[in-house]
Amino acid sequence: MGRKILIVEDQADLRKLVRMTLEFGDVEIHEAADGATGLHLARELRPDIVLLDVMMPGELDGYQVCERIKSDETLAGVRVVLLTARGQQTDLEQGRKAGCDAYLVKPFSPLELIDKVEELGRAAKA
Amino acid sequence: MRRRPEASGADTMTLPNSSPLQQAGEPVTRVELLKAFQAAVQTLQASGVTNGFGLTLAQEPISSERLAAVLQSIQDVIYSVSPDGNQILYVSPSAERVYEAKLEDLTGNPRDWFSRINESDRELVRARLPELFRDGRIDLEYRIDLPSGGIRWLRDRMQIVRDEAGRAVRIDGIASDITPQVHADMARELAEGTLRLKDRALESTHNGVVVTDMTNPSQPIIYANPGFERITGYAVADVYGLNCGFLQRDDHKQTGLAELREAIREGRECQVILRNYRKDGSLFWNELSISPVRDNDGRVTHYVGVQNDITERIRQEEELQDRTQRLDAIFAMSPDGFVSFGKEGRVAYVNPAFTRMTGLEPSQVLGDSEAALDARIRDRCDPKAPYRSLIEAPCALQSEESQRAVGGDLLQLMIPERRILSRSVRREEGGAKVLYFRDITRETEVDRMKSEFLSTAAHELRTPMASVFGFSELLLRRDYDEQTRKDLLSTIHRQAGALIHLLNELLDLARIEARAGKDFKVSVQPLRPIVENTVASLLVPNDPRKVVIDLPTTMPHCAVDAEKLQQALTNLLSNAYKYSPGGGEIRLDTVVDDGGRIGIRVSDRGIGMTPEQLSRCFERFYRADASGNIPGTGLGLTLVKEIVEIFGGTIQVESKHGEGTAVTVWLRVAEPEAVAA
């Protein structure tokens, strides 16, 4: 069975970057441009991994979406990677509190992104 | 105290009968007694004592019974001694009472008699005795010791009795008990001495003392001491007969004077403080105490006034008061809050700034203990924030910075409003303590905004950087067909362009803020060319709309930097295009107000803003566009605002969600005369 990845990111170029980086082999990629849509898609699709931008316009920011995914029992096992543009200690801490599995600080290398996703995929199978 | 013996008024007397009295111890015959009595009476008469008994010398011989009775009743001791002083010939019975001894003991050895003289007087008596033989008589005063332990003062007058041939036959003497007189004299002298002392005291005191005669309607001064002269400068002699009122000169409206008059009317004592004037006209503060002197009927006859010159004290008090007032003024004006505790550890003072900060009125907290005040402040703080009690609070030696660095003594007030106060404590020796509060809400807010700005700026830079970094890496690592490569490269190029734009705007903003317009080339110039140039050079790719310009025929001059105003208007116009993606007219026109200002207005029929978005539109990096589809930095409007404010103008934004936005730049018109178009 293929892997399902959801990208929640307000910048169209970044969604495109993530898609181009990860879209090979048996991978299914979905996109959302704001937190609310992202949460909705996560519940509908039950992706293996959610790549979640922290700072998004709209009512829900990345931390809130992450918290809701992690506290939703029907979404148990969904891994969340936070994409943050502020690699400060307090931001990372807030991410951990929200329950994220990993984070990437912008700008990130596509290779780094692939590694993170692979790592989380292996952990999920184990 | 010895009295000088007075000169005796008695003349040398001659006894009619010179036969010696019989020896003591043997019965005395009547005739001898009579003779002795006569001699004694003569002696008495000579010394004036006789009158005291009301006796007159009888022409006829007195009967021996009467003589004995008289001798019994005489208080003085009458005696006779042999001329060589070795034999006592006679002693009257009164000696028993005076010497408190038996007659037979007294008539023994005359040396015993000598030994009865008080030791302190013995030498003097011994030294003066030769006077008796030189002058024929002597008048002595001395003390004798009594067997009961007391002392009696005697006046002892002796006289040598001679026969017709001039030979000494006897020494007769009278010793009188003068103890009561001596005591009375001593008492009088003591009293006189005391009066003299009192007089001296009055003369030497620093206080002025005045006595006024109250029986005289003008209440004149009848006495003034040298102290009065020293204090007032008036010679004592010059003020006799005057009423004390001259000391006030024309300064009659004094509460002390009314009080004084009332006390005098009621005849009681009082103390007042008066403004008095010295002879040289200078003011002195007179602390005057008066008290009445009454006669036996209780009528006030005099008043004694004691003056105390308290000018120096008043001056010091005034100085202290002045200093206190100055300090109070400083504390009252201080933007920082102060609370001071007295030595007993109670709140003694709070300044207005403290009340402003905490809402705690002086009436609420004065008298509070440290713990009580601490509790009140704690009640007003955010319960979620850590609170350090006053006792643990660091002392003022630590700087504010270091306190903040250690997360120190910051109070997060919730009541009466959100404030952040820094608190420090200064403990004085002796337990007094001062609390110092500083409102650092603004500094903290500025700090917070600065760090938010930096982190937001970093975020805004990282986002396009992520595309540039990510896509270029993909291009390096993977093989893509020509079309994809071109697409990725154009994305990289576009995002790099966005980075440059963002950097430029950040730098513009920083430059404007840092230099506060110092590099602006502001001059008075016509507005029309600037507006027309802006519209002409506006480049809006892929949008067919043209800006509709509606300018009046005459446009005023304003003091502006043409290039910067053009930058501001360009930002406004490009916003109008960006936020009206669905089309609609983009318009530039002008408005005027009553205050001599002109407004350049840019309006669109675009997506508009909600009230919430409107309220935040000047925030840096704030984007009203939630979709992320409209490019921009969120700095455009901030820049416009900064530029316009440097020209002394304002910016006004009106917007309705879904209907469009109008932004007006208001500028002060530099000259009243307009320039023809």
Side-chain angles (χ1 to χ4, degrees):
Chain A
M1 197 187 98
R3 208 179 280 161
K4 226 188 271 179
I5 294 175
L6 173 63
I7 309 161
V8 188
E9 162 67 64
D10 61 322
Q11 297 285 317
D13 281 346
L14 282 180
R15 291 201 297 273
K16 183 167 132 195
L17 175 65
V18 173
R19 179 184 281 279
M20 287 192 72
T21 306
L22 298 177
E23 198 169 39
F24 58 90
D26 197 5
V27 177
E28 198 180 301
I29 289 182
H30 301 271
E31 293 179 28
D34 63 83
T37 314
L39 187 61
H40 175 75
L41 279 180
R43 283 176 176 148
E44 198 178 284
L45 303 167
R46 290 203 79 260
D48 300 290
I49 291 169
V50 180
L51 297 169
L52 192 53
D53 183 25
V54 172
M55 275 178 64
M56 285 182 293
E59 284 173 18
L60 294 178
D61 68 12
Y63 298 128
Q64 288 163 310
V65 174
C66 178
E67 249 170 34
R68 287 178 199 208
I69 290 172
K70 285 297 176 181
S71 63
D72 190 335
E73 283 172 21
T74 64
L75 296 180
V78 173
R79 308 287 157 151
V80 178
V81 179
L82 282 178
L83 304 178
T84 170
R86 318 197 266 191
Q88 283 153 9
Q89 201 55 38
T90 50
D91 298 311
L92 303 184
E93 219 139 85
Q94 205 175 343
R96 258 198 297 281
K97 258 189 218 156
C100 79
D101 297 282
Y103 50 81
L104 279 172
V105 179
K106 295 177 189 176
F108 51 84
S109 136
L111 276 182
E112 214 182 329
L113 175 61
I114 293 166
D115 284 352
K116 271 290 185 258
V117 168
E118 288 297 318
E119 200 180 300
L120 286 176
R122 275 200 302 278
K125 271 175 200 154
Chain B
M1 171 181 348
R2 296 289 311 229
R3 301 168 67 215
R4 296 302 309 157
E6 289 160 23
S8 170
D11 293 320
T12 312
M13 56 184 175
T14 323
L15 282 177
N17 189 323
S18 61
S19 63
L21 290 173
Q22 233 185 340
Q23 283 198 340
E26 285 170 36
V28 179
T29 64
R30 278 183 183 180
V31 175
E32 280 163 347
L33 260 179
L34 181 65
K35 282 178 184 165
F37 174 68
Q38 279 171 336
V41 167
Q42 276 183 342
T43 314
L44 282 170
Q45 198 176 28
S47 61
V49 176
T50 328
N51 292 337
F53 297 100
L55 288 173
T56 49
L57 272 179
Q59 298 289 321
E60 304 110 61
I62 303 165
S63 73
S64 59
E65 290 81 6
R66 261 187 83 194
L67 175 65
V70 167
L71 279 177
Q72 280 290 336
S73 67
I74 288 176
Q75 300 286 315
D76 298 312
V77 179
I78 298 166
Y79 62 88
S80 289
V81 189
S82 62
D84 57 8
N86 288 335
Q87 263 191 320
I88 294 175
L89 304 176
Y90 170 75
V91 176
S92 66
S94 56
E96 286 200 335
R97 188 192 54 79
V98 171
Y99 283 91
E100 293 179 0
K102 290 259 187 261
L103 209 54
E104 50 265 39
D105 295 337
L106 291 167
T107 50
N109 192 338
R111 298 196 193 285
D112 289 346
W113 165 83
F114 193 76
S115 70
R116 289 175 200 272
I117 295 175
N118 183 270
E119 199 183 349
S120 333
D121 295 344
R122 225 176 273 159
E123 278 315 301
L124 193 85
V125 171
R126 200 194 302 278
R128 287 195 58 199
L129 268 179
E131 287 176 34
L132 176 65
F133 300 99
R134 195 186 66 213
D135 305 336
R137 60 184 189 186
I138 192 168
D139 190 341
L140 290 169
E141 262 178 38
Y142 53 82
R143 285 163 285 187
I144 55 168
D145 294 324
L146 299 176
S148 61
I151 274 177
R152 184 160 281 156
W153 280 91
L154 293 185
R155 181 179 179 194
D156 196 348
R157 285 157 291 184
M158 294 178 229
Q159 186 154 20
I160 296 174
V161 181
R162 298 177 193 277
D163 59 13
E164 278 146 3
R167 281 184 297 125
V169 291
R170 229 174 41 241
I171 298 168
D172 286 344
I174 289 183
S176 318
D177 179 2
I178 55 163
T179 310
Q181 292 99 295
V182 171
H183 283 175
D185 283 349
M186 285 164 80
R188 199 180 63 242
E189 275 178 29
L190 189 67
E192 281 170 356
T194 310
L195 257 182
R196 270 201 303 279
L197 278 178
K198 284 181 178 165
D199 213 36
R200 285 287 294 279
L202 268 184
E203 297 287 309
S204 59
T205 178
H206 286 288
N207 295 95
V209 179
V210 191
V211 180
T212 57
D213 180 1
M214 302 308 286
T215 60
N216 185 321
S218 65
Q219 301 169 358
I221 295 173
I222 57 160
Y223 172 82
N225 74 338
F228 175 89
E229 190 171 315
R230 269 197 301 277
I231 292 175
T232 65
Y234 287 100
V236 169
D238 295 345
V239 300
Y240 286 132
L242 296 180
N243 181 286
C244 288
F246 74 90
L247 286 174
Q248 283 97 49
R249 302 208 167 187
D250 298 329
D251 193 357
H252 296 303
K253 283 185 182 166
Q254 300 191 35
T255 52
L257 281 177
E259 211 178 307
L260 195 67
R261 272 186 220 111
E262 196 182 313
I264 291 172
R265 201 170 54 240
E266 293 172 8
R268 57 176 166 81
E269 53 181 45
C270 84
Q271 188 181 68
V272 292
I273 293 173
L274 298 176
R275 285 190 301 274
N276 280 176
Y277 297 88
R278 298 190 186 90
K279 192 178 182 183
D280 64 10
S282 59
L283 172 92
F284 71 96
W285 289 92
N286 181 8
E287 186 185 64
L288 178 67
S289 309
I290 60 163
S291 57
V293 180
R294 295 168 193 279
D295 62 13
N296 291 336
D297 301 330
R299 210 165 53 99
V300 176
T301 57
H302 298 87
Y303 255 102
V304 176
V306 178
Q307 300 174 311
N308 191 9
D309 185 351
I310 55 166
T311 311
E312 180 64 10
R313 195 179 86 199
I314 295 268
R315 192 188 63 76
Q316 280 173 358
E317 278 172 8
E318 278 174 349
E319 204 166 87
L320 189 69
Q321 200 179 0
D322 196 42
R323 213 175 99 104
T324 310
Q325 272 171 357
R326 274 203 307 272
L327 276 177
D328 277 356
I330 290 168
F331 281 126
M333 285 190 301
S334 163
D336 298 327
F338 287 97
V339 174
S340 72
F341 289 86
K343 285 205 166 85
E344 62 295 337
R346 304 266 163 190
V347 174
Y349 174 79
V350 300
N351 74 339
F354 173 79
T355 301
R356 269 200 304 281
M357 286 175 188
T358 61
L360 289 168
E361 296 290 337
S363 57
Q364 287 174 273
V365 297
L366 287 181
D368 265 4
S369 69
E370 208 174 294
L373 182 74
D374 206 31
R376 280 186 208 278
I377 295 174
R378 182 175 228 146
D379 282 351
R380 287 164 177 264
C381 284
D382 187 345
K384 293 195 288 286
Y387 184 89
R388 256 205 268 189
S389 75
L390 268 181
I391 293 90
E392 305 161 34
C395 54
L397 290 175
Q398 274 178 283
S399 70
E400 195 178 295
E401 273 65 32
S402 71
Q403 279 184 40
R404 283 162 75 174
V406 297
D409 210 18
L410 293 186
L411 307 179
Q412 310 251 2
L413 276 191
M414 299 280 282
I415 303 165
E417 57 188 332
R418 251 195 186 283
R419 273 182 207 277
I420 297 165
L421 303 184
S422 104
R423 177 182 63 184
S424 44
V425 182
R426 189 186 163 88
R427 283 166 220 273
E428 302 287 334
E429 277 176 39
K433 180 186 281 192
V434 175
L435 296 185
Y436 167 75
F437 296 86
R438 181 161 199 190
D439 189 339
I440 54 163
T441 316
R442 217 187 108 75
E443 286 97 314
T444 314
E445 180 64 12
V446 167
D447 279 358
R448 191 192 60 75
M449 281 169 64
K450 214 182 274 175
S451 88
E452 195 176 282
F453 171 78
L454 283 175
S455 109
T456 313
H459 175 266
E460 295 303 317
L461 287 169
R462 280 167 187 271
T463 301
M465 194 61 86
S467 292
V468 173
F469 188 63
F471 285 120
S472 54
E473 190 175 305
L474 283 183
L475 281 170
L476 284 170
R477 293 190 175 273
R478 293 189 187 158
D479 291 327
Y480 290 108
D481 57 54
E482 189 56 27
Q483 200 190 335
T484 311
R485 282 166 63 91
K486 266 196 172 158
D487 177 45
L488 295 187
L489 280 170
S490 76
T491 305
I492 291 169
H493 186 258
R494 181 161 39 78
Q495 291 289 2
L499 268 177
I500 291 163
H501 185 63
L502 181 62
L503 283 173
N504 284 341
E505 292 208 322
L506 273 176
L507 285 174
D508 275 350
L509 195 61
R511 205 177 298 137
I512 289 169
E513 287 195 344
R515 318 265 332 243
K518 286 198 189 78
D519 55 348
F520 275 37
K521 299 177 204 88
V522 177
S523 60
V524 175
Q525 51 194 304
L527 284 181
R528 181 181 285 273
I530 301 171
V531 173
E532 284 176 348
N533 280 344
T534 308
V535 175
S537 58
L538 191 68
L539 276 172
V540 186
N542 311 322
D543 199 316
R545 283 177 292 173
K546 291 249 178 281
V547 178
V548 178
I549 307 174
D550 180 10
L551 297 177
T553 47
T554 56
M555 284 277 280
H557 285 46
C558 284
V560 294
D561 176 327
E563 196 187 320
K564 300 292 176 190
L565 181 59
Q566 199 167 324
Q567 187 186 354
L569 294 177
T570 304
N571 276 0
L572 293 183
L573 286 169
S574 90
N575 273 353
Y577 274 97
K578 280 195 283 186
Y579 290 98
S580 57
E585 187 181 75
I586 291 167
R587 193 177 164 83
L588 191 155
D589 57 9
T590 62
V591 281
V592 287
D593 73 355
D594 302 336
R597 297 195 307 171
I598 181 165
I600 305 166
R601 181 169 61 189
V602 174
S603 46
D604 66 61
R605 302 281 172 84
I607 57 175
M609 287 182 277
T610 63
E612 199 257 338
Q613 288 171 326
L614 185 60
S615 71
R616 298 183 60 189
C617 70
F618 291 112
E619 275 178 36
R620 286 162 193 176
F621 303 112
Y622 179 74
R623 305 284 314 281
D625 163 45
S627 70
N629 294 327
I630 298 171
T633 60
L635 290 172
L637 211 48
T638 312
L639 264 173
V640 175
K641 185 167 181 280
E642 297 277 347
I643 290 169
V644 170
E645 281 175 359
I646 282 172
F647 298 152
T650 56
I651 182 164
Q652 178 189 356
V653 183
E654 295 152 287
S655 187
K656 257 195 182 149
H657 189 55
E659 289 184 21
T661 302
V663 183
T664 311
V665 168
W666 286 101
L667 295 171
R668 197 166 299 283
V669 174
E671 293 167 38
E673 62 271 18
V675 176

